[in-house]
Amino acid sequence: MSESLILDENLSLDPFPLQCPDAASPTILIIGGGVTGLITAWVLLDRGYRVTIVAKEWATFTDHQRLTSQIAGALWEYPPAVCGQHTDALSLSRSKHWCITAYNVWSAIATNPAIATLAGVRMRSSNFFFPFPIEESPAQHQKMQEIAQSGVHDFTRSPSLIQENGIDPHFGAIDAYSHLAPVIDTDHAMEWLMLLTQSKGAKFHTETITSDLFTQEQSLLDRFSASAIVNCTGLSALSLASDRTCYPLRGALLRVVNDGTDFPQVHSSLAITADAAEDNEIVFIVPRNDNILIIGGVAQPNQWDLDLQIDSPEIQRMRARAEAFLPGLKHAKLDPEYPLAQGLRPARERNIRVERELRKRKVVLRGEYEVEEPSRIIHNYGHGGSGWSLSFGCSADVAALVEDVLHCLPAERMGMEDSNLQAVEQRKMNAEPIRAKL
């Protein structure tokens, strides 16, 4: 497991890298221009690497289809997240560490007024409601206790949160807790991240890569003069990593005007998670910025088509559920510019993959014979609806894996490095790192 990221210690908000690269600094090729790729680039740039990001498309700010990273609810959540549960115990355990790393960075950004405005990051009260006493569910009770002890700000548990937030008492919520959490305006944040990484030295290259990265590894390394590749392609890992466990989790959010004119302005996020709801349907209400409130949610596995409409049955049911929960929303008006956001969360059956490519590549030495050596590909995908919540934590682990690649260490399956940390450190001491291609 990597060291934690700490703002102003090993991560900087300055428009230049914390460690400036020199002539021998390796170039790292990142595939994918969403939040995961951009934050991975930021972390690597501040460690003195040169970075090139290749993406088929970048964030846009029109009424056309936006990146999944822009459509995301982007409320920081302690796992399992609102839209679903982890199925892999190792991934869940690591996600708890990753999300706390991200919480600390996002909350530090929120304390800098000028940067927080540019990045669209605010700390808001995040409230979770339950149709049963929390102690009746061992999983929910454990999760609440972990959150309370995790270092999040202003944790409180009280059924009075139901009345304080205007929740209809007939909806069935009888218990609740809250804490401060980062809420991110994704359009602002993506624009800011793109500008920040470019100012720190990242090169952006627009290209669609279509086949397994492993089969074209050497050509990509050569073409971009890179020493390692980081795969941050989300759902495209289905083909780029030949990972058949990847699948889409279609989501949709309604955007309504939240200026206090038609209903009391909502300043806090309000949620009932899928694993707490009696009907397994989500309530997800989050203030995006000063004037927009997002209402969710939908989580539909293996649905590829982005063909939902405002009058689609699941969208109508989603809105009716939110209005029954928070009656003031019955008077809400849709955002005239962008009323419905929908996208495909990049889910994975075994959950998040942050590990090196395990297949070994064959290399011809001096044109005479082939030898096998570890791949230089690192994977960072499968975040589902939690890309923003896990971003910095996963990227810190990627940075540690990049170091392993450059020291020519053998690849290990996700989790194995935790039990062999001393052996890994010893091998690093004995290994000669790869320098930049000259």
Side-chain angles (χ1 to χ4, degrees):
M1 190 172 291
S2 68
E3 62 176 328
S4 290
L5 291 176
I6 301 174
L7 205 58
D8 297 327
E9 289 191 15
N10 53 9
L11 190 72
S12 169
L13 293 171
D14 293 326
F16 46 83
L18 195 61
Q19 293 181 247
C20 291
D22 57 31
S25 297
T27 294
I28 310 302
L29 175 63
I30 295 175
I31 313 294
V35 59
T36 300
L38 291 173
I39 289 182
T40 299
W42 177 3
V43 170
L44 293 174
L45 287 161
D46 272 350
R47 297 191 180 207
Y49 295 108
R50 302 179 189 278
V51 172
T52 297
I53 308 175
V54 173
K56 64 180 179 181
E57 56 188 347
W58 307 92
T60 58
F61 310 98
T62 68
D63 57 357
H64 296 293
Q65 180 64 34
R66 303 184 189 186
L67 293 185
T68 299
S69 294
Q70 294 175 265
I71 295 165
L75 166 69
W76 179 90
E77 298 176 70
Y78 190 85
V82 166
C83 67
Q85 302 181 48
H86 279 70
T87 57
D88 183 79
L90 174 61
S91 179
L92 176 58
S93 174
R94 303 190 92 181
S95 293
K96 293 174 181 179
H97 168 76
W98 291 330
C99 79
I100 294 302
T101 297
Y103 182 95
N104 292 332
V105 176
W106 288 123
S107 59
I109 291 172
T111 63
N112 183 320
I115 298 296
T117 299
L118 289 173
V121 182
R122 294 184 180 183
M123 299 296 287
R124 293 187 184 268
S125 175
S126 183
N127 300 264
F128 295 87
F129 301 91
F130 301 85
F132 47 77
I134 295 172
E135 286 80 2
E136 289 187 359
S137 167
Q140 293 293 350
H141 188 230
Q142 179 181 344
K143 178 179 177 179
M144 181 185 71
Q145 290 180 314
E146 290 177 359
I147 292 172
Q149 297 166 8
S150 68
V152 299
H153 306 314
D154 296 354
F155 177 87
T156 183
R157 186 268 183 95
S158 175
S160 67
L161 293 167
I162 299 166
Q163 182 178 359
E164 292 171 10
N165 285 281
I167 308 305
D168 190 329
H170 298 102
F171 191 85
I174 64 173
D175 207 348
Y177 61 77
S178 71
H179 56 81
L180 287 180
V183 177
I184 302 163
D185 184 330
T186 54
D187 286 337
H188 278 87
M190 287 296 292
E191 183 176 23
W192 174 70
L193 286 169
M194 291 172 69
L195 291 172
L196 180 67
T197 52
Q198 285 181 304
S199 70
K200 287 178 179 285
K203 296 179 180 179
F204 284 21
H205 179 82
T206 305
E207 180 181 338
T208 300
I209 297 175
T210 56
S211 60
D212 192 335
L213 297 177
F214 180 76
T215 64
Q216 53 186 320
E217 178 177 345
Q218 192 59 53
S219 65
L220 288 170
L221 292 170
D222 291 342
R223 187 151 63 93
F224 291 96
S225 300
S227 298
I229 300 169
V230 184
N231 172 21
C232 300
T233 58
L235 194 54
S236 293
L238 182 66
S239 58
L240 297 188
S242 293
D243 188 342
R244 300 304 171 190
T245 71
C246 295
Y247 66 94
L249 188 64
R250 184 169 68 174
L253 299 167
L254 286 172
R255 295 165 53 98
V256 301
V257 178
N258 184 36
D259 60 5
T261 301
D262 299 302
F263 59 92
Q265 193 170 30
V266 177
H267 298 284
S268 302
S269 66
L270 313 168
I272 296 180
T273 63
D275 56 350
E278 292 180 341
D279 57 3
N280 204 41
E281 292 201 315
I282 305 162
V283 173
F284 186 76
I285 300 169
V286 179
R288 172 68 92 197
N289 50 41
D290 285 335
N291 297 310
I292 297 296
L293 185 73
I294 58 175
I295 298 173
V298 171
Q300 299 175 318
N302 298 306
Q303 295 293 323
W304 286 92
D305 296 328
L306 295 175
D307 56 1
L308 293 172
Q309 304 293 328
I310 290 172
D311 59 357
S312 296
E314 52 266 76
I315 301 301
Q316 291 293 301
R317 189 168 64 251
M318 178 181 77
R319 181 167 188 172
R321 191 164 62 249
E323 291 173 353
F325 179 72
L326 191 66
L329 295 180
K330 294 176 182 178
H331 308 290
K333 294 179 180 176
L334 293 171
D335 174 15
E337 295 182 0
Y338 194 49
L340 175 66
Q342 58 184 310
L344 303 178
R345 303 179 185 95
R348 184 171 180 261
E349 290 175 9
R350 294 196 63 195
N351 305 125
I352 301 147
R353 186 183 187 192
V354 179
E355 70 176 352
R356 291 172 59 186
E357 172 60 55
L358 299 174
R359 292 172 290 180
K360 292 184 177 180
R361 65 192 196 125
K362 293 183 178 180
V363 179
V364 177
L365 291 182
R366 295 183 292 275
E368 297 179 2
Y369 58 92
E370 288 185 346
V371 296
E372 287 189 340
E373 67 176 34
S375 169
R376 296 187 195 175
I377 297 171
I378 298 152
H379 298 291
N380 185 13
Y381 65 85
H383 301 85
S386 300
W388 291 93
S389 294
L390 303 174
S391 51
F392 290 101
C394 291
S395 297
D397 275 13
V398 167
L401 294 175
V402 166
E403 188 178 344
D404 288 353
V405 167
L406 298 182
H407 282 87
C408 302
L409 298 181
E412 295 182 318
R413 191 172 298 279
M414 182 173 164
M416 288 184 64
E417 69 276 11
D418 295 335
S419 60
N420 289 316
L421 190 55
Q422 290 183 343
V424 168
E425 291 303 319
Q426 185 61 46
R427 288 200 301 271
K428 284 182 183 178
M429 292 174 62
N430 297 333
E432 181 70 24
I434 296 173
R435 307 304 289 168
K437 294 188 174 182
L438 301 176

